[in-house]
Amino acid sequence: MSHFYFSLTNPEVELLLKKEMSIGYPNLKLSYSRPGFLTFKAENSVLFNPWMSRLSGICLGKKTLGELSSLSKAWLWKRLDSFTAPDELVALSEKSLFKIGEKVTLIMMVGENEYWLGEYILKRSHFQTPGEESSIQKREVPSRAYYKIAEAYEAFDLPMDYEEKVLELGSAPGGASLFLLDQELKVIGVDPAEMDKSILAKRNFKHIRKPFETLNAENFQEDIDWIVSDVNLPPTVVVKEVERFLTFLEPRGLVLTLKLNQDRYLRMLKPIVESFRKKGFTQVELKYLPSHRQEIALIALR
Ligand SMILES: C[S@@+](CC[C@H](N)C(=O)[O-])C[C@H]1O[C@@H](n2cnc3c(N)ncnc32)[C@H](O)[C@@H]1O
């Protein structure tokens, strides 16, 4: 018997997802796809959880509106905001509540009149929204990094406490700093590039305008509680530098954006997760966030 799986992801990472499939799920074949929606077929059931997916699960196939009318509880996801969903499906989705650990039934509106049905188990690190859409409000921010850290914070319920100190590597122009400062954290931003003036003006922000390779233990008189990084350098370089910081700093947690602009970086993800586990981080997870492009977040907590 064939088994089908679905993946919802951002169109700009689909090629990378296909590459991940060829490495990690060689027995799954692409079955059907539209931008942002892909299904795969396997002859045997597998645990399907590709990194490059915003959301993945079991695909129960294409359904007619009539077939969907028997559902008493389901969320509705639309591939494009411009699609007009039938009122009854919108109402069904709005009244459906799912608890952590429960199986979610997801109606995926892939075209104006094209519906697919899927199932997945709702995890704590899911956004608890249909299709893993971000629930972070759009606002004027110095950069997209604001949303990346905000989404990681929400998905992992990051235990960042009042006035804890964050070392932010690659902080300019300051999207992530803005979010962290809004959470009443103190931020030391390391970046040779210029910070947004609004960030520089904040009392709890300190800019070290240098490449992070030039910093060592002498630059830190105070304890650092978190290391956050979103640097446009290969993951190997970022991880090596963060590991160097860990030789003289003892943060409670790390939130690293790993840029995956080359296929070969995919193979490095598992060893990177393992190496942070060995360094005493008990929870180490990778998550593809709604605002991500060719990148992934690594969250490590002690
Ligand atoms: C994607 S941007 C960071 C966005 C930023 N986190 C924000 O919230 O706006 C990448 C940044 O990495 C910085 N960068 C690159 N190499 C670096 C290095 N060796 N040390 C510190 N920053 C570096 C760049 O100057 C650039 O500002």
Side-chain angles (χ1 to χ4, degrees):
M1 195 182 80
S2 297
H3 298 260
F4 290 89
Y5 300 92
F6 74 86
S7 160
L8 305 187
T9 198
N10 294 349
E12 49 271 70
V13 83
E14 273 178 30
L15 277 178
L16 206 56
L17 169 67
K18 287 176 187 166
K19 184 72 192 171
E20 181 188 352
M21 294 300 300
S22 70
I23 300 170
Y25 301 84
N27 297 326
L28 269 71
K29 300 281 165 270
L30 183 67
S31 175
Y32 175 83
S33 76
R34 304 283 293 139
F37 172 79
L38 301 95
T39 71
F40 297 91
K41 180 180 173 183
E43 292 318 316
N44 297 304
S45 87
V46 294
L47 197 62
F48 184 66
N49 195 14
W51 292 318
M52 294 300 129
S53 283
R54 226 171 47 213
L55 182 65
S56 56
I58 291 171
C59 186
L60 304 173
K62 197 167 168 177
K63 303 287 172 193
T64 63
L65 266 183
E67 286 170 316
L68 297 176
S69 65
S70 61
L71 293 172
S72 57
K73 190 165 144 176
W75 273 344
L76 171 70
W77 168 80
K78 295 193 299 181
R79 190 174 62 82
L80 298 178
D81 287 342
S82 57
F83 291 162
T84 314
D87 291 345
E88 59 273 27
L89 291 188
V90 175
L92 172 68
S93 186
E94 283 176 357
K95 72 166 191 183
S96 295
L97 295 175
F98 292 96
K99 293 196 216 95
I100 310 283
E102 202 177 335
K103 191 187 281 173
V104 175
T105 302
L106 183 68
I107 301 166
M108 294 169 282
M109 187 175 182
V110 173
E112 274 294 359
N113 283 303
E114 182 181 344
Y115 303 93
W116 290 71
L117 201 59
E119 279 178 354
Y120 65 97
I121 301 295
L122 192 65
K123 290 198 266 176
R124 195 168 291 281
S125 60
H126 278 134
F127 278 97
Q128 329 292 323
T129 58
E132 281 287 275
E133 297 291 356
S134 171
S135 46
I136 313 292
Q137 295 293 316
K138 292 274 178 270
R139 53 177 284 198
E140 205 172 305
V141 290
S143 67
R144 184 170 57 91
Y146 174 93
Y147 298 104
K148 296 192 241 174
I149 188 77
E151 288 166 358
Y153 183 86
E154 181 174 317
F156 291 92
D157 200 8
L158 292 176
M160 292 175 153
D161 291 336
Y162 178 71
E163 295 214 334
E164 278 191 330
K165 290 194 194 67
V166 183
L167 171 64
E168 199 201 335
L169 308 175
S171 56
S177 297
L178 174 63
F179 178 81
L180 296 165
L181 292 162
D182 280 355
Q183 311 314 307
E184 314 246 18
L185 294 151
K186 294 187 169 177
V187 179
I188 301 172
V190 183
D191 199 313
E194 206 171 322
M195 294 296 299
D196 192 282
K197 286 193 177 55
S198 65
I199 303 296
L200 287 175
K202 297 209 184 249
R203 184 175 59 88
N204 280 340
F205 182 80
K206 180 177 153 197
H207 189 193
I208 303 182
R209 202 166 173 180
K210 291 179 182 170
F212 50 63
E213 307 87 292
T214 61
L215 303 189
N216 53 45
E218 282 144 37
N219 297 91
F220 299 91
Q221 272 83 49
E222 46 204 347
D223 289 344
I224 293 293
D225 303 293
W226 297 89
I227 297 180
V228 168
S229 158
D230 183 357
V231 183
N232 43 4
L233 291 172
T236 37
V237 177
V238 174
V239 169
K240 204 168 136 234
E241 274 301 306
V242 171
E243 289 183 343
R244 187 179 67 81
F245 280 105
L246 292 177
T247 61
F248 54 87
L249 299 176
E250 270 188 71
R252 300 172 59 190
L254 314 172
V255 184
L256 313 180
T257 302
L258 303 177
K259 306 280 181 188
L260 302 173
N261 44 9
Q262 291 192 33
D263 291 355
R264 65 194 175 91
Y265 296 153
L266 276 173
R267 294 187 189 273
M268 298 171 184
L269 292 177
K270 232 181 186 162
I272 288 174
V273 167
E274 283 312 314
S275 98
F276 283 119
R277 287 207 175 114
K278 285 195 189 121
K279 292 201 157 36
F281 292 94
T282 51
Q283 185 187 351
V284 186
E285 292 193 45
L286 294 167
K287 185 165 170 82
Y288 188 81
L289 296 166
S291 64
H292 274 162
R293 291 182 185 152
Q294 289 204 347
E295 56 205 339
I296 196 161
L298 180 140
I299 315 291
L301 303 172
R302 292 221 190 256

